[in-house]
Amino acid sequence: MGADSGPTLINSVQRAFRLLEAVSAHENGAPAKQLARETDLPLATAYHLLRTLVHDGYVRKLADGGFILGERLQTLHTAGRTQALLSRIRPTLAALRDELSSAAYLTFYEEGEIRVAEIVDGPRAPRVDLWVGFEDAGHATALGKSVLRELDEEARKEYLSRHTLSDLTPRTITDTPELLRRLESSPLAPAVTDMEEYSLGTVCVAVPVYAGSTLGSLGVSLRAGRRSHLEEVRARLEEVRARLIPAADRVTRGLSLTI
């Protein structure tokens, strides 16, 4: 039984792909009999595979009995496009990591939340321990604050109305007016910083990026464990900003190219 199951499963997958290709050729849908004929499949096999594809969302059955592509395929297409876009900008993130000896991060503002899309780190540039999700820590991270700084007043107010300014470290800003004041008066603008506000011993710097019309942020994390080390990091902020801004321009160009 074990020897036969492999080829049988492979054949089923191949037949399912052939059916999907046939379905995709009919924008207004096609009935099972026509699809079976076009793919040279027995009608019973076509019915069985179509029921499975409908159940999993890859195909949708219309009221008239025809079949069209389902929403699950669109989700896969979108995910694949996102992966292709990220593959374009990973070399830029890796170069930034190597230049600054710091982990590089990319976030996007999607569906009202700030989400991490990519992290490029290494043995000499470890990532921050994301012990609190970025969706709940936008006020305490440079990446989140960069997004908040770029939002218009209404969108920023709406975001803050849904998120508590939790006290993550003794340095976290938990007062909304103070947070807004610092966002507007960042001395490194358009860069913003997180001076151990998310995690003690870590300083982050971030600048805005765009993927088409989607706002995001590009940032790096720097280790600052001791007080003397923290002062060294503070002295490097201008250098970090100077490296981040052109890198952000390259990332925006890469993310905005059509696939």
Side-chain angles (χ1 to χ4, degrees):
M1 180 176 178
D4 295 334
S5 62
T8 301
L9 290 174
I10 291 172
N11 288 339
S12 294
V13 171
Q14 291 173 331
R15 291 168 178 169
F17 281 140
R18 281 159 54 194
L19 269 176
L20 285 172
E21 290 173 352
V23 171
S24 71
H26 299 279
E27 184 177 347
N28 298 317
K33 288 183 179 180
Q34 181 178 350
L35 294 170
R37 187 166 58 251
E38 292 177 358
T39 54
D40 197 27
L41 292 174
L43 183 57
T45 299
Y47 270 127
H48 173 72
L49 289 173
L50 285 168
R51 281 197 300 268
T52 301
L53 292 169
V54 168
H55 178 269
D56 289 340
Y58 293 105
V59 169
R60 183 159 65 91
K61 187 174 184 180
L62 301 175
D64 64 2
F67 294 89
I68 62 173
L69 294 179
E71 294 180 359
R72 187 77 176 272
L73 278 179
Q74 180 59 41
T75 300
L76 288 177
H77 173 73
T78 301
R81 182 177 183 276
T82 298
Q83 286 301 314
L85 285 172
L86 290 176
S87 69
R88 287 178 173 176
I89 55 90
R90 284 192 186 101
T92 299
L93 300 186
L96 192 62
R97 173 200 62 197
D98 296 340
E99 288 174 8
L100 298 173
S101 297
S102 61
Y105 307 78
L106 178 70
T107 72
F108 291 126
Y109 185 62
E110 299 174 316
E111 299 177 344
E113 300 295 345
I114 300 166
R115 294 169 177 159
V116 178
E118 188 70 16
I119 301 176
V120 176
D121 58 359
R124 298 179 60 188
R127 68 181 64 187
V128 177
D129 179 18
L130 304 181
W131 67 284
V132 175
F134 270 48
E135 293 183 8
D136 298 315
H139 66 293
T141 65
L143 291 154
K145 289 195 288 183
S146 176
V147 169
L148 291 175
R149 187 177 187 278
E150 292 300 305
L151 291 176
D152 60 43
E153 183 177 354
E154 182 178 349
R156 189 187 302 149
K157 182 178 179 180
E158 193 277 332
Y159 175 90
L160 292 173
S161 71
R162 294 184 287 105
H163 295 82
T164 301
L165 305 189
S166 301
D167 187 4
L168 304 183
T169 79
R171 297 179 181 272
T172 307
I173 303 168
T174 57
D175 178 68
T176 298
E178 176 63 13
L179 175 65
L180 295 176
R181 185 189 70 77
R182 295 200 190 187
L183 290 177
E184 295 296 338
S185 61
S186 173
L188 295 175
V192 295
T193 59
D194 146 25
M195 304 300 292
E196 300 186 289
E197 296 159 43
Y198 177 79
S199 177
L200 290 175
T202 300
V203 169
C204 297
V205 188
V207 294
V209 295
Y210 285 86
S213 60
T214 300
L215 171 62
S217 59
L218 171 68
V220 294
S221 60
L222 309 168
R223 287 171 290 180
R226 303 180 304 276
R227 178 176 293 276
S228 59
H229 195 183
L230 178 58
E231 292 306 315
E232 292 174 10
V233 169
R234 289 180 187 273
R236 291 186 61 201
L237 292 183
E238 286 287 354
E239 174 200 350
V240 173
R241 176 187 183 277
R243 300 291 182 91
L244 270 176
I245 290 176
D249 288 340
R250 290 193 293 274
V251 167
T252 292
R253 287 197 299 270
L255 291 174
S256 299
L257 292 174
T258 302
I259 293 180

